[in-house]
Amino acid sequence: LAEEQAQAEAQAAASLEKQLKQALRGSTEAEVHKQAHDTLERRLAEAESRLAKAERRAKLAEEQAQDEVQAADALERQLKRALRRVAEVEQREKLAREGEAAWKRAHDEQASRLHKAELQLQLYEMQDRLRKMEAQSPDRRFASYAPKTPPTVERAPSRGSVYITPTGKKYHAAHCRYGASYGGPKVSLQAAQGRGLQPCLICRPG
């Protein structure tokens, strides 16, 4: 009987030890699962934190990109306005050059016509003199060139001022059609003579 009782106690002790070991294994597995869960939660929190930081950086980058796009648009508008102003200035300069060239051509043409008119006038006067000389007798034909009897020419009364033609070769009185009407500068008679200019053959200013 004592032996049977000892065996029963031994079996009970073994069963209790087995249950204890199972409890210990279950506790260990639970702790392992808990640690794994905590690790996963910690990694998830870190991933969420990194994702939030990445989202903030992406938002800042997007805002910066929008600012850069707006700045580029403003710069493009300024560049277009500057190009328009440059084109306007170039157009004005072109018109000014064309106007200056046209004025110069007109001035040169007017001076050329005036010079031709003076030459034609001189030619007419020379022809008129030749006709008069041919109409005179041979003895009187060259009398006007004799040093003892110089020809007397009646000149218009001088008022102290004359007009110079654009060609700058002759000077005229105020009433002469080749004088002030051609826009020549007004100078004193002494200044015109001092330049070596010749008097007009029509108005003959003093």
Side-chain angles (χ1 to χ4, degrees):
L1 180 63
E3 185 178 353
E4 292 178 355
Q5 187 176 2
Q7 290 177 355
E9 289 177 357
Q11 291 177 356
S15 176
L16 182 60
E17 184 180 359
K18 184 178 180 181
Q19 292 177 0
L20 180 61
K21 288 181 178 180
Q22 289 177 354
L24 289 174
R25 282 197 300 271
S27 176
T28 302
E29 291 177 357
E31 289 178 358
V32 170
H33 288 304
K34 185 176 183 302
Q35 291 176 358
H37 183 268
D38 293 340
T39 301
L40 290 175
E41 286 185 348
R42 187 172 58 255
R43 290 180 179 177
L44 179 61
E46 292 175 355
E48 290 178 349
S49 177
R50 289 196 296 271
L51 178 61
K53 290 179 181 179
E55 289 178 349
R56 287 194 296 272
R57 287 196 297 270
K59 185 177 180 180
L60 291 175
E62 183 179 0
E63 293 175 353
Q64 185 177 1
Q66 291 178 355
D67 294 339
E68 291 177 354
V69 169
Q70 292 177 356
D73 292 340
L75 183 61
E76 185 177 1
R77 290 192 296 270
Q78 293 177 0
L79 179 60
K80 288 181 179 179
R81 288 195 295 267
L83 290 175
R84 284 196 298 269
R85 288 196 295 270
V86 169
E88 292 174 356
V89 171
E90 290 178 350
Q91 183 66 20
R92 288 197 295 270
E93 290 179 350
K94 181 180 179 182
L95 293 175
R97 289 193 299 270
E98 292 176 352
E100 184 178 358
W103 178 86
K104 187 176 184 301
R105 287 194 300 270
H107 181 270
D108 293 342
E109 291 176 359
Q110 183 180 7
S112 177
R113 288 195 300 268
L114 180 59
H115 182 63
K116 290 179 180 178
E118 291 179 349
L119 293 177
Q120 189 69 30
L121 179 62
Q122 293 177 5
L123 179 61
Y124 290 158
E125 290 180 349
M126 292 177 63
Q127 292 176 350
D128 185 60
R129 288 183 181 179
L130 289 174
R131 285 194 298 269
K132 289 180 179 180
M133 290 174 63
E134 291 175 354
Q136 294 176 356
S137 62
D139 296 334
R140 298 178 57 192
R141 184 172 301 177
F142 299 100
S144 59
Y145 296 95
K148 295 182 180 180
T149 57
T152 58
V153 179
E154 295 182 0
R155 297 180 179 271
S158 174
R159 297 183 179 178
S161 298
V162 293
Y163 291 86
I164 300 175
T165 59
T167 58
K169 295 181 180 180
K170 294 182 181 296
Y171 59 90
H172 307 264
H175 62 274
C176 182
R177 63 176 180 271
Y178 296 108
S181 61
Y182 274 81
K186 181 179 180 181
V187 298
S188 65
L189 177 61
Q190 291 78 8
Q193 292 175 347
R195 295 184 186 182
L197 302 179
Q198 299 297 322
C200 175
L201 299 176
I202 296 177
C203 64
R204 299 184 181 276

